[in-house]
């Protein structure tokens, strides 16, 4: 099991520019919980799972438009890579680094 617990700084490359989030993640078994702090403030993580070196969760954004971002990430040491998908739009690349 990859150790995803801790704090992460991630960048999501969206169609409207890069978005930064500071994540705090905690696993219990295969359940993943935590929060993200982004441009619109604190967002709780929803539907989080972790298995092996992979993690998935949802962030429900309220601004600039209400939407859900579905994250699929892979952990390699102190780095994260993966995608964030919002509705019918193409997936956005995600890169992250452990900060704590």
């Amino acid at each position: 099991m990859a150790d995803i617990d801790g704090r992460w700084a991630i960048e999501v490359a969206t169609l409207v520019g890069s978005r930064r989030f500071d994540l705090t993640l905690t696993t219990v078994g295969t359940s993943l919980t935590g929060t993200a702090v982004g441009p619109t403030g604190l967002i709780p993580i929803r539907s989080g799972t972790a298995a092996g070196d992979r993690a998935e969760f949802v962030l429900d954004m309220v601004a600039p438009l209400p939407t859900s971002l579905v994250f699929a990430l892979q952990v390699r040491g102190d780095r994260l890579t993966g995608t964030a998908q919002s509705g019918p739009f193409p997936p956005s690349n995600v890169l992250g680094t452990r900060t704590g």
Side-chain angles (χ1 to χ4, degrees):
M1 176 79 173
D3 183 18
I4 193 168
D5 291 6
R7 294 186 322 223
W8 298 85
I10 65 168
E11 293 283 333
V12 181
T14 72
L15 293 173
V16 294
S18 183
R19 301 279 187 229
R20 180 185 167 146
F21 294 94
D22 293 314
L23 302 177
T24 301
L25 303 173
T26 303
T27 56
V28 176
T30 60
S31 178
L32 176 68
T33 60
T35 57
V37 177
T40 61
L42 185 78
I43 306 164
I45 287 171
R46 179 171 64 79
S47 302
T49 61
D53 64 350
R54 305 213 177 254
E56 295 181 0
F57 59 88
V58 178
L59 292 181
D60 294 319
M61 311 292 292
V62 294
L65 297 171
T67 189
S68 293
L69 285 177
V70 179
F71 286 81
L73 303 174
Q74 184 173 19
V75 179
R76 289 202 173 114
D78 290 336
R79 299 186 92 32
L80 287 175
T81 58
T83 60
Q85 178 78 43
S86 178
F89 299 106
S92 299
N93 289 327
V94 177
L95 296 174
T97 304
R98 187 183 303 272
T99 60

